[in-house]
Amino acid sequence: QVTLVESGGGWVQTGGSLRLTCTQSGPVTLRRCLGWFRQVSGKEREAVATINRGGGDKFYRSHSIEGRFLITRDNFANTVSLQMTNLRPEDTGMYFCAASASTCDRYMRLSEFDYWGQGTQVTVSS
């Protein structure tokens, strides 16, 4: 099966940057699409960004996210990263890495992702 371990979360002030990294293992066919999701206590988990195996297809939740975050993956190192810049308090949440055997698409449905990490906390103070 697939295992996913996130790292890189922490506390920053508004405008700061963080880089999240997720190390994966397991069958490649179960990790075609990799994604980052976030959840605030009491709210539903939401997609942030996803990337296909080739790295050319990337999807972001919104133009605001796309202008501040960058998702990349290294298939040799088995990692997927999320570089976050110009962070805002509304970016605060638990960030999860996830894997899907399906190809990523613009709908970014949580139901498409079968494997999840434990999450890493990101806190942005105003």
Side-chain angles (χ1 to χ4, degrees):
Q1 297 304 304
V2 175
T3 59
L4 303 155
V5 180
E6 303 96 336
S7 61
W11 177 90
V12 294
Q13 292 185 322
T14 297
S17 299
L18 282 174
R19 182 179 179 85
L20 307 181
T21 298
C22 173
T23 302
Q24 331 125 39
S25 63
V28 170
T29 55
L30 299 181
R31 296 184 277 130
R32 287 193 177 90
C33 176
L34 297 173
W36 286 97
F37 298 77
R38 67 187 180 193
Q39 186 169 21
V40 177
S41 180
K43 294 187 177 181
E44 292 186 355
R45 192 170 298 186
E46 62 184 23
V48 176
T50 60
I51 184 169
N52 274 319
R53 181 162 182 79
D57 293 329
K58 304 177 183 181
F59 301 91
Y60 293 92
R61 175 176 184 79
S62 65
H63 290 303
S64 170
I65 292 289
E66 186 171 10
R68 299 183 296 120
F69 295 3
L70 177 66
I71 187 170
T72 57
R73 66 187 287 174
D74 183 334
N75 294 326
F76 293 101
N78 288 318
T79 59
V80 59
S81 297
L82 186 68
Q83 179 68 48
M84 304 185 293
T85 62
N86 193 17
L87 283 160
R88 305 169 180 173
E90 54 264 38
D91 294 318
T92 293
M94 184 71 78
Y95 281 69
F96 298 89
C97 174
S100 171
S102 303
T103 301
C104 300
D105 61 32
R106 63 187 178 94
Y107 300 106
M108 304 169 75
R109 300 182 189 92
L110 272 69
S111 60
E112 294 287 327
F113 291 81
D114 301 306
Y115 303 97
W116 295 83
Q118 293 299 307
T120 184
Q121 178 68 34
V122 171
T123 303
V124 185
S125 65
S126 58

